[in-house]
Amino acid sequence: MVYRAGLAAMAIIALLLGYVVVVGVLRSRPLTLPAPSGPFPVGRAIVTVAAGSATPDEPRRAAWVWYPARPGSADEAPRVDYVPDGWSGPGTLPPTVGLGWLLQDVGAVTSWARRDAPPAPGPAPVVVLAPGFETAPWMYTTLGEELASHGRVVALLVPPTTPARVVDGIPRTSPTAPATPTGAEVDTLIGRQAADMTALLNAFTSADPPVPVTVDARRTVFAGHSLGGGAAVRACELEPRCVGSINMDGPQPDRAPTKPELLLGSDRSCAAVTPCAEDGAPRAYTDWLVQRRVGSPPTSTATITGAGHNAFGDAGHYFVAPPVGAAAGVGDIPAHRMHVVLTRTLDTTIDELLHNGPIGHAEPGSATDLPELVRLPD
């Protein structure tokens, strides 16, 4: 009996060791993100700017900027590191559940932008992008690169809730299992992030912009994911230069928008549809999401069939080992399809907003071309 128990224990240990080895190989395999489709090469800069929600201990924060680079000369600039030195480490996302070894090694990810490449001649419209709660800035690289390749400056101010270690001298860590904020806490965070978005736009129109790009701030779109989506809508209402907003699967702010807004969500998300299902979220929070959407309705709503909440960024491309994969929140839509549907929808919507047109009238493809995109009645 003891002999058999020992054999069983050894077999279990061997299986576990084999699992660890296989996961270690798979998570470290080279991953190249989708190439930008626009006519411009892309530059990326990481700068430090004044924060709209500044505190005495933190008057300035880091910002990631993707921008259209000058064709030809951009090839001479070095390719960026997907995650620069000093940004990734213990306590960072993708998601901090104490099981980071089961997730994508971000050091194995390759993107396309060139570091500090010479900017293309301007002026360029601006997309101020707000990340989600507990989401790292590099997780929006595919969006930043794609939109910049079509001639827009895309700027993201790193919020205090980031799990990244910021390189401006302020070390940060994130709790291993952050609790879902309450509705009141979300509204506070939305207000702070909205102030940051306006401050970031102001930095680009100052006499000494953080990146030497020429922008047309009168052609600004605010966009965001999750918590950042609500902040984008709120900021656009407060900023006269903003022509409209895009809320990617986030809560609506406490007031209905008067400017055009696209709420783009998952087909199961309580932020976008009823009935809905938010896996793992408290019932009180999902009820609050529905009530907020009903009370502050967007001007236009669309869903992406099969998308998960975390698919609105790079997470859908990452390796996630079973059994964590089911909890990754990226849905069951293939990553390449999510990328196509999301980026083409954003590209078309931004063009509509910049030209003061109604949202959703210029479809980013035919119904058979993007069948996952479903426009909901206004």
Side-chain angles (χ1 to χ4, degrees), residues 145-221:
E145 291 185 342
E146 176 66 21
L147 298 179
S149 76
H150 288 273
R152 299 122 180 182
V153 172
V154 183
L156 179 155
L157 188 66
V158 180
T161 58
T162 182
R165 288 183 177 181
V166 180
V167 295
D168 58 2
I170 305 174
R172 299 182 180 280
T173 58
S174 170
T176 57
T180 302
T182 65
E185 290 170 337
V186 168
D187 278 335
T188 298
L189 293 170
I190 282 176
R192 292 174 181 171
Q193 206 161 2
D196 286 341
M197 297 180 82
T198 297
L200 184 53
L201 178 61
N202 289 338
F204 279 90
T205 57
S206 67
D208 185 22
V211 179
V213 293
T214 303
V215 301
D216 181 359
R218 296 168 300 175
R219 303 173 66 213
T220 295
V221 173

Side-chain angles (χ1 to χ4, degrees), residues 10-24:
M10 292 177 63
I12 292 172
I13 292 172
L15 288 172
L16 289 175
L17 288 175
Y19 175 78
V20 170
V21 170
V22 170
V23 168

Side-chain angles (χ1 to χ4, degrees), residues 43-47 63-67 80 113-117 210-212:
R44 191 193 75 187
I46 299 177
V47 296
W64 288 43
V65 184
W66 296 269
Y67 56 90
V80 299
R114 301 284 178 162
R115 187 170 68 245
D116 300 320
V211 179

Side-chain angles (χ1 to χ4, degrees), residues 26-326:
L26 294 177
R27 70 181 294 269
S28 301
R29 288 189 304 179
L31 169 63
T32 300
L33 296 174
S37 66
F40 289 95
V42 178
R44 191 193 75 187
I46 299 177
V47 296
T48 304
V49 300
S53 58
T55 65
D57 294 333
E58 189 183 29
R60 300 174 67 81
R61 285 206 297 277
W64 288 43
V65 184
W66 296 269
Y67 56 90
R70 187 185 300 273
S73 59
D75 296 338
E76 302 174 5
R79 187 78 67 89
V80 299
D81 292 328
Y82 179 64
V83 181
D85 289 343
W87 282 78
S88 181
T92 64
L93 291 183
T96 51
V97 292
L99 298 172
W101 60 276
L102 294 173
L103 309 170
Q104 177 70 48
D105 176 6
V106 293
V109 181
T110 299
S111 56
W112 295 87
R114 301 284 178 162
R115 187 170 68 245
D116 300 320
V126 183
V127 178
V128 182
L129 182 62
F133 182 72
E134 293 291 343
T135 306
W138 57 80
M139 298 178 75
Y140 300 93
T141 292
T142 51
L143 296 185
E145 291 185 342
E146 176 66 21
L147 298 179
S149 76
H150 288 273
R152 299 122 180 182
V153 172
V154 183
L156 179 155
L157 188 66
V158 180
T161 58
T162 182
R165 288 183 177 181
V166 180
V167 295
D168 58 2
I170 305 174
R172 299 182 180 280
T173 58
S174 170
T176 57
T180 302
T182 65
E185 290 170 337
V186 168
D187 278 335
T188 298
L189 293 170
I190 282 176
R192 292 174 181 171
Q193 206 161 2
D196 286 341
M197 297 180 82
T198 297
L200 184 53
L201 178 61
N202 289 338
F204 279 90
T205 57
S206 67
D208 185 22
V211 179
V213 293
T214 303
V215 301
D216 181 359
R218 296 168 300 175
R219 303 173 66 213
T220 295
V221 173
F222 285 163
H225 171 229
S226 192
L227 173 69
V233 182
R234 175 71 180 275
C236 191
E237 291 296 300
L238 300 174
E239 171 52 62
R241 294 167 292 184
C242 176
V243 297
S245 62
I246 302 173
N247 177 357
M248 290 180 281
D249 214 46
Q252 285 292 99
D254 56 359
R255 299 168 210 170
T258 60
K259 295 181 181 180
E261 174 207 350
L262 172 64
L263 173 57
L264 180 64
S266 160
D267 62 328
R268 301 174 69 241
S269 171
C270 295
V273 297
T274 306
C276 60
E278 295 280 348
D279 297 333
R283 177 63 182 272
Y285 181 69
T286 59
D287 289 346
W288 179 83
L289 283 175
V290 173
Q291 292 167 4
R292 183 54 62 83
R293 171 169 46 84
V294 172
S296 302
T299 59
S300 182
T301 304
T303 61
I304 300 177
T305 304
H309 180 69
N310 293 330
F312 292 81
D314 292 356
H317 299 282
Y318 293 162
F319 168 79
V320 183
V324 178

